[in-house]
């Protein structure tokens, strides 16, 4: 029985880490796939509620060109609406222009994503597998030079 009934019981499993961090990407990855544009105020409330539910890290949006992802065209407005709480939340920046937009807002945490498949790299980054790394290098270098936290992840790593 847990010493505090309001907390879940913890049972350590040998070989597993003592702690994991969940990076919630629903406001970015989930909403970018909606057919209808979700109002910025609704997005801000969604992010605020996820944080309020105890999720430590919520990837709020992406600074991607609105031609490619019109659902996230309000990225700057969303981050401004989130105020100080939004400054530390990660945002996806697929290229240097996305990084410029994050820096203009004083954001502190960016993410980039690479692909493990040629098809996904072509469709989502407009690059080949090899070309994607050349695109990321200046983004990561500039972000680190500006003191930002940078996280990278691999999308579509099991097939597409």
């Amino acid at each position: 029985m847990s010493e505090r009934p309001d907390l879940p019981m913890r049972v350590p499993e040998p070989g597993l880490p003592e702690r994991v961090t969940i990076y919630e990407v629903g406001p970015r990855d989930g909403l970018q796939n909606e057919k209808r544009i979700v109002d910025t105020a609704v997005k801000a409330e969604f992010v605020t509620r996820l944080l309020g539910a105890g999720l430590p890290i919520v990837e709020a949006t992406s600074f991607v060109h609105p031609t490619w992802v019109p659902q996230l065209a309000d990225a700057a407005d969303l981050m401004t609406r989130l105020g100080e709480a939004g400054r530390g939340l990660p945002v996806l920046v697929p290229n240097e222009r996305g990084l410029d937009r994050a820096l203009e807002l004083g954001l502190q945490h960016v993410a980039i994503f690479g692909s493990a498949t040629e098809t996904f790299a072509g469709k989502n980054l407009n690059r080949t597998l090899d070309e994607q790394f050349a695109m990321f290098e200046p983004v990561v270098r500039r972000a680190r030079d500006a003191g930002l936290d940078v996280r990278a992840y691999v999308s579509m790593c099991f097939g597409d």
Side-chain angles (χ1 to χ4, degrees):
M1 183 71 109
S2 176
E3 291 180 25
R4 288 189 51 197
D6 60 322
L7 295 176
M9 183 171 66
R10 298 172 72 176
V11 180
E13 180 69 31
L16 292 180
E18 298 244 346
R19 179 175 181 202
V20 297
T21 301
I22 295 173
Y23 285 76
E24 172 58 55
V25 298
R28 193 258 323 145
D29 192 46
L31 296 180
Q32 77 182 14
N33 294 309
E34 290 296 313
K35 291 184 185 350
R36 197 172 66 81
I37 304 294
V38 176
D39 185 73
T40 308
V42 173
K43 291 178 185 179
E45 180 69 19
F46 182 34
V47 171
T48 301
R49 287 183 182 206
L50 289 169
L51 293 168
L55 290 165
I57 302 171
V58 177
E59 189 174 282
T61 191
S62 175
F63 288 101
V64 64
H65 196 286
T67 299
W68 301 113
V69 186
Q71 296 88 338
L72 302 180
D74 64 348
D77 292 338
L78 173 63
M79 298 313 292
T80 299
R81 187 177 294 243
L82 291 169
E84 192 59 34
R87 289 191 69 232
L89 298 179
V91 295
L92 186 69
V93 294
N95 53 39
E96 284 193 270
R97 180 61 191 126
L99 175 63
D100 290 341
R101 293 174 65 200
L103 289 170
E104 287 167 11
L105 291 171
L107 303 182
Q108 301 167 339
H109 188 157
V110 296
I112 60 168
F113 75 94
S115 174
T117 69
E118 198 70 56
T119 303
F120 192 85
K123 288 184 177 182
N124 289 276
L125 297 169
N126 201 27
R127 302 281 189 280
T128 66
L129 279 174
D130 290 337
E131 290 170 341
Q132 70 183 339
F133 299 109
M135 181 177 75
F136 298 143
E137 190 278 328
V139 174
V140 173
R141 179 180 32 78
R142 287 184 51 217
R144 298 294 293 156
D145 287 350
L148 275 63
D149 290 330
V150 179
R151 179 175 54 93
Y153 52 91
V154 179
S155 291
M156 203 53 66
C157 53
F158 296 108
D160 56 3

